[in-house]
Amino acid sequence: MIIAGIIGSFSLALIAIGVMTTLVPMHGVGIGFSPLDIGWIAGLYYLGFLVGPWIAPPLVQRLGSGRAFAVAALLALGGIIVLPLFPDAAAWAGIRFVSGTGFAVLYILAEAGLNAEVSNAGRGRMLSIYMIVSKAALMLGQLVVGTLGVEGWAPFVAASGVVALAAVLRMQIPTGKVLMSAGRLRPLRVLRAAPVAMTGCAIYGLGEASLYALGPLYAQSNGMGVAEVSMFMTATLLGAAVAQWPLGWLSDRMDRRRAILLGVVCTMIAVCALGLTARPGFAVALAGGFVLGGSLLPLYGLLVALGNDSATNEERVEMGSGLVFAYAVGAIVGPPAAAVLMELTPRGLPLWLAALSAVQIVILLVAMRRPAPLTQPL
């Protein structure tokens, strides 16, 4: 009941994120924003994900997790509903920063609450369900945009409405395991406690954000038309949906680091297949995209599970904050770095992902020389 309530309430917030992902650039262009304006607005939104992890621990310490969720939802909601009032790019950038901060805190609280309710032995499967439902909610947000369009107040009201509903639902959930907090984020402490998870989240952010931002451009530069580009990106999401549960199940049956290593090795194989082919045929690109999505995109859930395996309930908010902070750093740095490589060669994106995979493999192999953390029985 508690786990279903946490996933359900956060999924409503994710519908809003899905709506805003498309609504912000399309509505912005419609009111005269330039591509550079849209880029800055997106950058400030993700900058909020750097700030949110510093806010979450003191919020939980002072208000408790339920009311902290409501405050974060208010920040996210406010950063949606006021946008049509200020048709100015600079104002939108500042407002999206506030919204990004709120959504970052919502991520942290949802994941901390879920991890508090499950033992290590079932953590991978539970987070796999969470990730699958999250992807479905994001896709539902796209359908909302398709239904309401990108003009007028309707899509903004709908997005802010589901965030408000998420806060109301979250406040109705029984308390469950009490989440405490040290009151502040200490990144070095999180790094010492979960080095593989934190470095892995940073590397994941470098790769995942690059794939989402530049995957369509990579496909287009290799001769794909608009419909084929769409199918290539859809193949990555389909691969993630298919592989998420098996990888989560596997991570509960073995040293979780081995399951992560399997995903990273498969990522390396997929990007090498794409990168070593001068202009991969559409079928090869589609298969490579499916394997790439199925091996790369599920890794976040496994990394969060790994980090929380060694955390107590009193440490989960700080652990979650540290992992989201690491992801945000990677997500901000990754696309520009990958774009530089793509300026040099159309194979730049696969080469970038291959380099990241190689670094992650080395980190995992070194870490696996130590015994795996003990797991708890279900």
Side-chain angles (χ1 to χ4, degrees), residues 27 39 59 61 70 84 92 109 115 134 137-138 142 153 155 180 187 250 307-308 319 340 357 368 373:
H27 188 92
L59 267 182
Q61 185 186 53
W92 272 44
L109 295 180
N115 278 294
S134 296
L138 290 170
Q142 300 301 314
W153 279 86
M180 303 298 292
L250 193 62
N308 278 275
M319 175 63 69
V340 171
S357 299
M368 286 167 58

Side-chain angles (χ1 to χ4, degrees), residues 2-68:
I2 294 174
I3 290 177
I6 293 173
I7 292 177
S9 60
F10 185 58
S11 295
L12 290 172
L14 285 171
I15 292 173
I17 292 178
V19 171
M20 299 309 292
T21 298
T22 300
L23 180 60
V24 167
M26 294 188 70
H27 188 92
V29 168
I31 60 176
F33 294 171
S34 69
L36 182 60
D37 292 333
I38 300 298
W40 278 112
I41 291 167
L44 265 292
Y45 173 76
Y46 283 109
L47 187 61
F49 274 72
L50 283 181
V51 175
W54 297 92
I55 293 176
L59 267 182
V60 172
Q61 185 186 53
R62 294 171 187 174
L63 303 177
S65 58
R67 283 181 290 179

Side-chain angles (χ1 to χ4, degrees), residues 77-109:
L77 183 157
I80 294 172
I81 196 63
V82 302
L83 283 175
L85 296 174
F86 301 96
D88 175 78
W92 272 44
I95 293 167
R96 287 294 285 164
F97 168 76
V98 173
S99 188
T101 302
F103 277 121
V105 176
L106 292 180
Y107 267 102
I108 292 164
L109 295 180

